Amino acid sequence: MIDKMKLTLVFMVVIVTIITCVNPLFPHEQLLQHIGTFLLLIPLVYDVFKRKIPMVPYIGIVCFTILHVIGARYIYSYVPYKEFAISLGIADPDFFQDSRNHYDRLVHFSFGVLLFPYLVYVCKRWLKQLRSVAVLMAWMMIQTCSMLYELFEWLLTIVMESEVADYYNGQQGDVWDAQKDMALALLGSTFILVLYLLHYNRKNKTN
């Protein structure tokens, strides 16, 4: 039986993806970025029919996928969030002093926040871990996945042309980009870890 709510969310992700692919600004690089989009869509589409993933983790994957799709449109380094904020009157033009585009930083932080609930679910359901162990394991999985992704980006710099690799990696000249990205994923996942532990502690006290 199909979960209509999850199906609607999947359609929303697909529609956003299609819209961002119209008149691509960086066709080749955007196509490479959508390898990640495809991987993220696998559990979303699969669970429309299986209906196993709770809604909170499911929505977390959806939100992260949309953030990634927007980033893929502009290969992360050129997401016009500054111009968007200024045009809406959210921020003054003088507010953005740093010339660097920090959208990729937001996505790495969101990776730690938004995918954490799904990894907790995976650890509890598929690895049969206790609740507290599943939370700690999910936290470690975030760090591991973040490190593996940065290693993947490093390998790209070896096998691809330097300009194409730089476009994909979005380092923007920062030699410490990989370390900062992993630190933000660590920060995001640690924030959610603390919330989970506080919730479990409060729940145990009321029982």
Side-chain angles (χ1 to χ4, degrees):
M1 190 174 181
I2 295 176
D3 188 314
K4 293 182 180 179
M5 179 61 182
K6 290 180 177 178
L7 181 62
T8 301
L9 291 172
V10 169
F11 272 127
M12 182 178 68
V13 172
V14 171
I15 290 171
V16 171
T17 303
I18 292 172
I19 292 173
T20 58
C21 287
V22 175
N23 297 322
L25 304 174
F26 309 92
H28 181 63
E29 291 80 5
Q30 186 176 6
L31 182 62
L32 284 176
Q33 293 285 355
H34 281 313
I35 295 174
T37 306
F38 174 76
L39 294 175
L40 288 164
L41 278 171
I42 291 175
L44 294 177
V45 174
Y46 180 78
D47 205 63
V48 167
F49 304 95
K50 294 299 181 179
R51 308 201 315 172
K52 301 289 186 181
I53 305 174
M55 281 306 297
V56 170
Y58 197 89
I59 292 174
I61 302 175
V62 168
C63 291
F64 181 77
T65 305
I66 291 176
L67 286 174
H68 170 69
V69 166
I70 294 172
R73 164 74 178 180
Y74 301 96
I75 58 172
Y76 281 90
S77 298
Y78 304 101
V79 177
Y81 65 89
K82 298 178 182 179
E83 295 81 357
F84 184 70
I86 292 170
S87 65
L88 292 180
I90 298 174
D92 188 86
D94 297 330
F95 178 78
F96 298 105
Q97 298 294 328
D98 191 350
S99 60
R100 191 191 193 281
N101 192 296
H102 290 285
Y103 186 83
D104 63 323
R105 306 283 196 229
L106 168 66
V107 175
H108 281 281
F109 177 80
S110 300
F111 174 74
V113 172
L114 296 175
L115 295 189
F116 194 96
Y118 173 68
L119 293 177
V120 172
Y121 159 78
V122 168
C123 291
K124 288 170 64 176
R125 180 172 180 83
W126 298 107
L127 302 182
K128 307 299 182 182
Q129 294 174 336
L130 297 175
R131 185 172 59 184
S132 57
V133 177
V135 172
L136 292 174
M137 182 61 71
W139 182 83
M140 289 188 286
M141 289 172 70
I142 289 288
Q143 318 324 320
T144 302
C145 292
S146 179
M147 178 195 67
L148 290 175
Y149 180 76
E150 295 302 329
L151 288 174
F152 168 72
E153 286 192 337
W154 171 71
L155 287 173
L156 284 181
T157 64
I158 297 176
V159 301
M160 298 175 66
E161 295 180 10
S162 59
E163 184 178 357
V164 176
D166 185 63
Y167 271 143
Y168 181 86
N169 294 345
Q171 288 181 303
Q172 301 179 58
D174 187 353
V175 296
W176 298 103
D177 181 70
Q179 289 84 351
K180 292 176 181 177
D181 289 345
M182 288 188 290
L184 283 166
L186 171 64
L187 180 63
S189 60
T190 302
F191 172 72
I192 299 300
L193 170 69
V194 171
L195 293 183
Y196 264 83
L197 294 178
L198 289 175
H199 171 71
Y200 289 155
N201 184 56
R202 182 181 303 173
K203 193 172 183 179
N204 289 334
K205 287 182 178 179
T206 57
N207 290 339

